[in-house]
Every structure is written in C-alpha cells, then in structure tokens.
Amino acid sequence: KTTYGDEQALRLSVAITPEFAGSSPTGTVTVKQAATKLCTITLASAKGSCVLSAARLGAGTYHLVATYSDSADFDGSTSSSATATVLAATSKVAFGLSKKRTTYGDEQISRMSATVSPEFRGTTPTGKVTLNEGKKVLCVIKLSAGKGSCVLSAARLSAGTYHMVAFYSASSDFKSSE
C-alpha cells in the first residue's frame, strides 16, 4: 500500500527463475497495469526493480503484471498479477477573506478565497470547496490548480459577526478536509 502522490515509495521488484539452475536470464521486464505501462526493468543477475513516479496511479486497487521479453537464450513469460493499493491522500484547506469587515449590502467587495494543499508535493487537488456560515452555503468554489475564490452577492448576509468554514469535498485522489 502507498498513498497517492507518494507512489515512488512503492518499489516494484522482479526475479526471473530459469528452468535450469546456473543460468541467468538477461533482458527486460515490463510492468503494466491493464494496458498502461508503468515501468521497464533491466535485469541484472535475473533480478531488478523500478520505482513509480509521484501521482503515476490514482487512488484505487490495481492488478500489476510483469512480462519478461524473449531473449536469445530464454523464452518470454508473464507473471501472475500482484495487487497494489494506492490510498487517497490527505489535504488541508486554507480560507481567507480580502476584507474582514464590510458594510451590509456591499458584500461583493469582499473576496473569499480557498487553497487546498496536498499531502505530497507534485499533486494538485481538484474538485470544489464549499464556504458555509453555519448551515447556510455562501458559495461553492471550483478549484483550479488547487485554488479558487468567490464574491458574495449584495445583501447576502445581514449585519452581524459570522464564523465561516471552508469544506473541501473529497475527490477520487484526495480525502476531504475542513
């Protein structure tokens, strides 16, 4: 198991066992998930490994297969599948206001912004952030590059003090956060 964005922590290792002891297969092994090639391993002493790049696989369960290419001395072969699980990464949402105070009816001059930070660098959260005041939805921000903003319409809030919360809805690769 590994976490989305940290796939490089997942080392894929292969070992080719020859029919007769004393010989050592050379060549390459290709590791695939369905039709997607994940890496090619060059064998040394009939063994080898590779490391996936960050965000190579989204969150989910995968069935990986290794295929040894024919060489001059050995026939090709395909492994049984090995299961790899990639877990959704955590995220943190930051919420900001361009103005902490505004006058009733002039709420549109206060921009509300949200930034969702991923657990691992090199990944970008997608989806939306909902800005709430209590149970009241003030606006929904569609993220672009992990960020977004909105402006309230005039007279959206009556005079008073409000405690707003930003909620990031989970996406396929990231857990929700508040």
Side-chain angles (χ1 to χ4, degrees):
K1 289 184 179 182
T2 190
T3 303
Y4 176 72
D6 195 30
E7 288 90 333
Q8 63 270 28
L10 183 65
R11 177 171 293 281
L12 307 178
S13 300
V14 296
I16 306 297
T17 306
E19 183 176 6
F20 300 104
S23 56
S24 184
T26 59
T28 61
V29 173
T30 302
V31 179
K32 290 184 174 182
Q33 193 305 113
T36 303
K37 180 174 142 181
L38 298 176
C39 66
T40 300
I41 299 169
T42 301
L43 297 174
S45 301
K47 297 178 183 175
S49 65
C50 68
V51 176
L52 298 182
S53 58
R56 180 73 172 127
L57 297 171
T61 300
Y62 300 93
H63 303 285
L64 311 181
V65 175
T67 303
Y68 173 61
S69 302
D70 290 339
S71 70
D73 298 323
F74 296 94
D75 289 333
S77 61
T78 300
S79 71
S80 57
S81 69
T83 302
T85 302
V86 179
L87 305 171
T90 60
S91 63
K92 292 180 184 175
V93 63
F95 169 59
L97 294 169
S98 62
K99 293 182 78 179
K100 301 286 185 203
R101 293 180 146 218
T102 190
T103 304
Y104 174 74
D106 205 14
E107 292 91 336
Q108 68 270 24
I109 66 167
S110 184
R111 178 169 294 280
M112 293 186 246
S113 61
T115 301
V116 180
S117 302
E119 180 177 1
F120 297 101
R121 296 177 73 152
T123 60
T124 304
T126 59
K128 63 183 179 177
V129 172
T130 304
L131 299 175
N132 298 321
E133 196 291 309
K135 293 184 181 197
K136 185 178 190 178
V137 175
L138 299 176
C139 68
V140 177
I141 298 171
K142 184 175 179 186
L143 295 174
S144 175
K147 299 177 182 181
S149 64
C150 67
V151 176
L152 290 182
S153 57
R156 178 79 175 154
L157 297 171
S158 56
T161 301
Y162 296 93
H163 301 282
M164 299 173 197
V165 176
F167 179 76
Y168 171 61
S169 302
S171 68
S172 58
D173 296 324
F174 295 95
K175 296 175 185 175
S176 61
S177 58
E178 189 172 297

